[in-house]
Amino acid sequence: MRDIWRPHFAHLIVFQLLLAAVSLAQSKPAADLIITNAKIWTVDKSLPTAQAVAVLGERIVAVGSNKDVDAWRGTRTHVIDAGRKLLLPGFNDAHVHFVSGGMQLTNVQLNDATTPQEFARRIGERVKTTPKGEWILGGSWDETKWNPPDMPTKELIDALTPDTPVFVSRYDGHMGLANSVALRLAGITSKTPDPPGGTVVRDAQGNPTGALKDAATDYIDKVIPPLSHDQRLKVVNQALAYAASVGVTSVQHMVADYEDIAVYAELLRRGELTTRIYAAPLITHVEDQAKLGIDRGFGGPYLRIGALKAFADGSLGSGTAYFYEPFLNQGNNRGLLSDEMHPISLMRDRYMKADAAGLQICTHAIGDEGISTILDLYSDVIKAHGEADRRFRIEHAQHMAAKDFERFAQLHVIASVQPYHAIDDGRFAESHIGHDRASRTYAFRTFLDHGVRLAFGTDWEVAPLDPMLSVYAAVTRATLDGKNPDGWFPEQKLTVAETVEAYTMGSAYAEFQENEKGSITTGKLADMVLLGDDIFAMAPARIRDVHVLKTFVGGRMVFDASAAAEGKSQKWMDHKRILSKP
Ligand SMILES: [Zn+2]
C-alpha cells in the first residue's frame, strides 16, 4: 500500500509545483490588444515617444519598445502591426454641437451645387427618400457660385416638392429658402410684415419669393417639428460613426438638450456609445442640476454631465460680438450682450448658484469687452466662494483685450478655442475690427506664453469636425481664401506638438479627465488614433489631407479604413470636401 502510494505522492508534489509555476507566469495576464511597430507620440512628457502599446480591457497596460510590450502577448492577444504609422491619443473635441452636426451629415448638401438646376435636382432627389410630411432642411447653398448669381426663389423647387415642406439655408446661416408648402405651414403671405431684424423677400407684386432673411427665418423655425426620439437616435448614430472615422474619441457637447442626453444614455446602456461625451446644457437650467446634487464631471467614462454653457455675446461675422470700441464701418455698433446678460447681475446670480453646486461653467465670449466682463464675473465668484479647482472656461475667447491675458492666467480660466474659425474669420476680421484688435485675435501663442491652458475643438456643425483641418489651421494659420499662405498673424502659429497636446490633454483637462485620458499612458483609457501620415514630419500645408486609418475607444476598434466599404470612404471624402469650405 505504501509502496503504491509513494509514487503518487511524488507525482502530486511535482504537479503542484508545476501549477505554481504556471500561475506565477500568469500573474501578468495577456493583453487583449497590442499595437506594435508604430511611431507613437504619447503626449506624456515622461515618455514622449514609443513603438508599441498593450491594452487590457479598456485600459493601457504597457507603453514602450516593441520588445518590452511583446511581453504582454498571449495566445489570444489581437496584434496589429502599425507599419511605422503615427499613433496619437484620440482627439477630444472640447466644443461641439453633436446633434446639429449629425443632422448636417444627413441633410441635403447644396454647397457645391454650381447651377440653380443642380440645386433643384438635388432637392428633387431628396423628396424621393423623404417620408411624407417630413421636412427637407440644411443645404448651405451659395448662389455666388452660379452664373448669374441670382437668389433662388420657391418657383425653382415648387413643382418638385408639391407635398414636402422645404427650408434650405444659405451657407452663412443668415438666409433661407422656403417652398410654397413651408410658407403655407408658417402662414407667410403677402400680408405678413417684416419682423424687427428680418426681411421677407418679395417680388414686384409684393408676394413672398420664399427667401427669408435673418429674424424672418423664425417664422419657419417655429413650425419645424422638433426631432422625435427615433430621429434623434438616428442622427446621433450618424454623428458617432462620423466622429470615429475622423479620429475623434471624445466630444464636449455644448448646449446639449435633455433629449440628447437621454439618447446618449440609451446608447450607453446598449453598449453602442463609441464616442465619450461630456454634455453641457444651457445655464438657464442651472436649478435642475443643482437640485440633483450633480457636480462637475459627474458620470462614467462614456457619459458625463455637470457643466453648464452660458452666452455672453454674439459673433464677429454678424456684428454682435461685444467690443469696447465700435466695429469699423458699422457706425456706433460695438456689438451686443446676450439676453442672459440683461442685466449682468442675472448672469452673476446663475454663476453663483452653479458654483455653489460644484458645477463647471463654460461661457461663450467673443468680443474683448464680452470676455472682460465674464472675467470680472468669474473673479466675483472666486472672491465670494474662495479658491477651488473650478476650471472656468471661456468658449471661443476670440478677440482679447491686451490687459486680459494676464488675468485669464491668474484666474486659471481655460481658453476653449477653435483653430478652424481662425482661418475662416481671418478672411474678413481685419476689415471688421482693424489691425490692432486683429493682432490679439485667436491669439493661441500669446495664451500659451501667459501660461493659459488651451483646449481645442471645432464648434461642429459651425465648422468641420475633422481634426486634421484644425491641426492644419493652428499650425499654418493659412486663411481659407488663400491670401495668407505663410500665416495670418504668423507669430500666433503653434507647433504640431503644441496643437496635438491642446487637442488631447488640453481638452481632457478642460473636462476634469486628465488622469483618465488625453495621453497614451499606462493606466489610462485606451483611446487612440492611427493616422495615414506623420503630421510631425510633413509639410504643414499637407496636414489637412491626412486621413485616419484606425480609431480605438477603450481598446475597441470603432473605425477601420481598410474595412470601410468603397462607397463609405467616398462619402467620407465628400464630407471633407464640402465641409472644408474651399
Ligand atoms: Zn458653439
Side-chain angles (χ1 to χ4, degrees), residues 95-97 254-255 309 311 364 396 418 421 459-460 462:
H95 186 126
V96 297
H97 306 284
M254 295 292 130
V255 203
K309 169 76 186 296
F311 281 91
H364 163 121
H396 312 306
Q418 300 79 34
H421 286 338
D459 208 3
W460 190 49
V462 181

Side-chain angles (χ1 to χ4, degrees), residues 39-151:
K39 276 194 223 172
I40 304 181
W41 180 257
T42 63
V43 195
D44 180 340
K45 292 191 169 70
S46 69
L47 180 71
T49 60
Q51 288 179 304
V53 55
V55 178
L56 179 62
E58 58 176 9
R59 291 191 185 259
I60 296 165
V61 288
V63 185
S65 67
N66 290 337
K67 194 162 159 284
D68 295 344
V69 170
D70 204 53
W72 284 85
R73 187 192 292 236
T75 49
R76 284 160 67 180
T77 303
H78 178 49
V79 179
I80 294 174
D81 184 329
R84 304 272 305 131
K85 297 292 187 193
L86 181 67
L87 187 74
L88 298 176
F91 290 99
N92 181 338
D93 193 316
H95 186 126
V96 297
H97 306 284
F98 207 57
V99 172
S100 319
M103 284 173 70
Q104 188 191 54
L105 292 175
T106 52
N107 282 338
V108 65
Q109 291 291 352
L110 302 169
N111 191 262
D112 57 347
T114 51
T115 61
Q117 291 73 31
E118 176 61 13
F119 169 100
R121 192 193 64 79
R122 290 188 191 184
I123 291 172
E125 280 303 306
R126 187 49 76 109
V127 171
K128 294 178 193 163
T129 57
T130 304
K132 206 173 156 88
E134 241 174 61
W135 286 70
I136 293 177
L137 302 167
S140 294
W141 48 270
D142 182 358
E143 84 293 344
T144 66
K145 294 173 179 166
W146 305 350
N147 186 16
D150 293 335
M151 284 294 167

